[in-house]
Amino acid sequence: MSVPLILGCLWVLASAIVAMLPMRQQMVPGVALLIAAPVLLVWIGWVHGWVWLAVGLFAFLSMFRNPLRYFLRRALGLPAPLPKELEK
């Protein structure tokens, strides 16, 4: 197995572990995983082709759909309420 696929598997495991944390403790590692994902996806696509890039992108969008929806709404100037667990 290639290095990008091994790192991709580790990324998925790390994402699953972060998802099990309480919401307030997910923020820092979740943002780090969110930033690392595009780099890893481009690397996988470069080594293995666009099909595997598409598979990885689909998995990424599925796992991070709520944070991505939040950032998209903020970028468009629409109201983006925080989850109740994060409200003070």
Side-chain angles (χ1 to χ4, degrees), residues 11-12 41 53-65:
W11 185 92
V12 169
L41 285 171
L53 171 65
V55 169
L57 185 61
F58 179 75
F60 169 71
L61 293 174
S62 173
M63 293 175 76
F64 281 86
R65 66 186 172 274

Side-chain angles (χ1 to χ4, degrees), residues 32-65:
L33 289 168
L34 193 62
I35 292 170
V39 175
L40 187 56
L41 285 171
V42 168
W43 192 11
I44 289 171
W46 184 269
V47 173
H48 295 285
W50 69 269
V51 173
W52 292 108
L53 171 65
V55 169
L57 185 61
F58 179 75
F60 169 71
L61 293 174
S62 173
M63 293 175 76
F64 281 86
R65 66 186 172 274

Side-chain angles (χ1 to χ4, degrees), residues 1-79:
M1 191 182 294
S2 69
V3 173
L5 289 181
I6 291 170
L7 291 177
C9 291
L10 292 174
W11 185 92
V12 169
L13 290 174
S15 295
I17 291 169
V18 168
M20 289 187 273
L21 295 172
M23 184 64 84
R24 290 193 181 273
Q25 294 176 351
Q26 288 181 8
M27 297 300 284
V28 173
V31 169
L33 289 168
L34 193 62
I35 292 170
V39 175
L40 187 56
L41 285 171
V42 168
W43 192 11
I44 289 171
W46 184 269
V47 173
H48 295 285
W50 69 269
V51 173
W52 292 108
L53 171 65
V55 169
L57 185 61
F58 179 75
F60 169 71
L61 293 174
S62 173
M63 293 175 76
F64 281 86
R65 66 186 172 274
N66 289 330
L68 291 171
R69 187 179 304 137
Y70 172 80
F71 289 128
L72 179 65
R73 291 181 67 83
R74 292 283 308 261
L76 294 175
L78 299 171

